[in-house]
């Protein structure tokens, strides 16, 4: 036993090494969300909670603004581990006295770490100052927010958590939200009092606001793009019968497991929309993800091969320019999909239709315009 413990200690990686391993894996495939890459690395390496937190802070902080640190390390050469170590060091030092790109879109992308295609459209839609604020906010670590179940006293849960919390402003529309002001607690959210009893789940305030917009007291409901069930679980407690639909039936399997844990009943489709009318239809439509970059660490992705440029920044710029050129077509595809979903939702809606996207871009506003026409006229010529 002693020999096993000594071997385990010898094999354990320190936080810097954990962060470096995660960054190597992430840079090899940036289509995988950073938190999922980190979770995989942490699962295969024994470490304390403090080491996990230190590794997460270093890796996620670097991954969120990777374009910035690649620019600062553009003259660095070496293998994947050596480059990852330099990027992590650049994040620690974070020099600001450097010459940034001259193109304003590329400069905002490099400084903030947000994708070029997105920075260009933010500047177009919002203007320089607001685009800069949004870009930097989108590559900052987001808060950890809980949603307390409807039938549980939120004051009692807040008092029992043993960590500092805050409630979002009333105009956010998330009255069941508690934000952990000091971030992830020691041991993780699952170590907090009330987690085992399913008194709360982790959910952003924005997602909670969508649930609140659905209202309460309806008989039947359809969650058309249910995914893993973040909104389905609280909705199920507010209606007599909830149907959950998603084209990815594997996600519906995870939804069923979450529903069992929460003690609510849901009906899941087999991937085909039910031919019925519902009191409430919720459409949280697939989109570019431009509004949840901070939470997911990525938006829509593209298969783009690396060029043969010598430095890190040049390779990144080359890929970003290709994606920027392709983005208009991809956004048009999302808009068409959103309209199709809304048409299907309108055909099944008997009373209330709630529509949401996680996009900040005008290209995806056609769904909002359709939704507005539906609300005002109760019918739309399709």
């Amino acid at each position: 036993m002693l020999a096993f413990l000594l071997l385990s200690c010898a094999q354990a990686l320190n936080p810097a090494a954990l962060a470096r391993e995660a960054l190597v894996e992430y840079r090899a495939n940036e289509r995988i969300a950073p938190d999922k890459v980190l979770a995989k690395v942490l699962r295969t390496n024994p470490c304390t909670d403090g080491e996990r937190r230190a590794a997460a802070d270093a890796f996620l902080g670097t991954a969120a603004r990777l374009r910035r640190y690649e620019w600062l390390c553009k003259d660095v050469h070496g293998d994947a581990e050596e480059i990852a170590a330099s990027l992590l060091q650049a994040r620690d030092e974070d020099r600001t006295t450097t010459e940034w790109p001259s193109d304003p879109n590329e400069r905002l992308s490099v400084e903030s770490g947000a994708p070029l295609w997105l920075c260009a459209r933010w500047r177009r839609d919002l203007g320089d100052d607001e685009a800069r604020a949004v870009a930097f906010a989108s590559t900052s670590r987001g808060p950890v927010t809980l949603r307390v179940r409807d039938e549980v006293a939120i004051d009692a849960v807040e008092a029992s958590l043993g960590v500092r919390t805050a409630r979002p402003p009333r105009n956010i529309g998330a009255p069941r939200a508690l934000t952990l002001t000091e971030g992830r607690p020691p041991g993780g959210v699952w170590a907090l009092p009330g987690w085992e009893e399913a008194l709360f789940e982790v959910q952003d305030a924005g997602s909670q606001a969508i649930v609140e917009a659905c209202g309460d007291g309806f008989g039947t409901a359809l969650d058309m793009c249910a995914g893993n069930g973040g909104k389905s679980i609280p909705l199920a407690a507010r209606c007599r019968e909830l149907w959950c639909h998603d084209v990815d039936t594997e996600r519906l399997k995870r939804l069923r497991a979450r529903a069992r844990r929460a003690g609510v009943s849901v009906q899941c489709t087999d991937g085909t929309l039910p031919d019925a009318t519902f009191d409430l239809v919720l459409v949280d439509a697939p989109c570019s993800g431009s509004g949840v970059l901070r939470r997911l660490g990525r938006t829509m992705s593209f298969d783009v091969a690396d060029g043969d440029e010598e430095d890190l920044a040049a390779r990144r710029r080359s890929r970003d320019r290709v994606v920027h050129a392709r983005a208009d077509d991809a956004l048009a595809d999302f808009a068409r999909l959103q309209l199709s979903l809304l048409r299907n939702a309108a055909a099944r809606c008997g009373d209330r239709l709630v529509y949401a996207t996680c996009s900040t871009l005008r290209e995806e506003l056609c769904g909002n315009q359709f939704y507005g026409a539906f609300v005002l006229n109760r019918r739309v010529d399709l």
Side-chain angles (χ1 to χ4, degrees), residues 286-302:
C287 66
S288 63
S290 57
V292 288
L293 176 60
R294 179 172 68 173
R295 179 163 59 86
L296 299 183
R298 59 186 174 87
T299 58
M300 60 180 183
S301 56
F302 300 80

Side-chain angles (χ1 to χ4, degrees), residues 148-336:
V148 180
R149 285 169 53 174
D150 287 348
E151 68 274 21
V152 177
I154 188 170
D155 291 342
V157 171
E158 186 173 27
S160 71
L161 290 177
V163 295
R164 293 182 180 178
T165 61
R167 303 193 190 188
R170 292 175 62 88
N171 63 356
I172 296 295
R176 308 297 298 172
L178 293 175
T179 296
L180 309 186
T181 57
E182 297 176 341
R184 176 185 178 274
V189 171
W190 48 89
L192 293 174
W195 174 261
E196 290 294 331
E197 298 79 10
L199 301 184
F200 55 82
E201 286 205 345
V202 178
Q203 188 177 48
D204 287 349
S207 295
Q208 296 187 40
I210 295 171
V211 174
E212 295 302 322
C214 291
D216 201 349
F218 35 84
T220 59
L222 170 64
D223 187 350
M224 270 188 58
C225 305
N228 295 328
K231 302 173 189 68
S232 308
I233 303 306
L235 282 179
R238 296 184 173 196
C239 65
R240 186 181 71 251
E241 182 179 68
L242 174 68
W243 278 85
C244 300
H245 171 74
D246 200 281
V247 294
D248 186 347
T249 54
E250 289 300 313
R251 300 186 77 186
L252 293 179
K253 291 179 182 178
R254 295 192 287 272
L255 188 157
R256 291 188 185 96
R258 292 183 69 178
R260 286 194 295 271
R261 176 182 179 274
V264 297
S265 176
V266 298
Q267 304 291 329
C268 292
T269 71
D270 59 0
T272 302
L273 273 172
D275 186 14
T277 300
F278 300 86
D279 298 328
L280 165 75
V281 179
L282 168 61
V283 185
D284 187 4
C287 66
S288 63
S290 57
V292 288
L293 176 60
R294 179 172 68 173
R295 179 163 59 86
L296 299 183
R298 59 186 174 87
T299 58
M300 60 180 183
S301 56
F302 300 80
D303 287 322
V304 179
D306 278 341
D308 55 3
E309 295 83 0
E310 290 188 4
D311 68 69
L312 297 178
R315 284 199 297 273
R316 172 69 64 179
R317 183 185 296 185
S318 177
R319 292 200 303 273
D320 277 355
R321 286 173 174 173
V322 172
V323 171
H324 183 24
R326 294 183 186 176
D328 283 340
D329 288 341
L331 291 171
D333 288 341
F334 274 121
R336 283 189 288 269

Side-chain angles (χ1 to χ4, degrees), residues 1-13 46:
M1 175 62 74
L2 178 60
F4 173 78
L5 291 174
L6 290 173
L7 179 61
S8 297
C9 292
Q11 292 176 336
L13 300 179

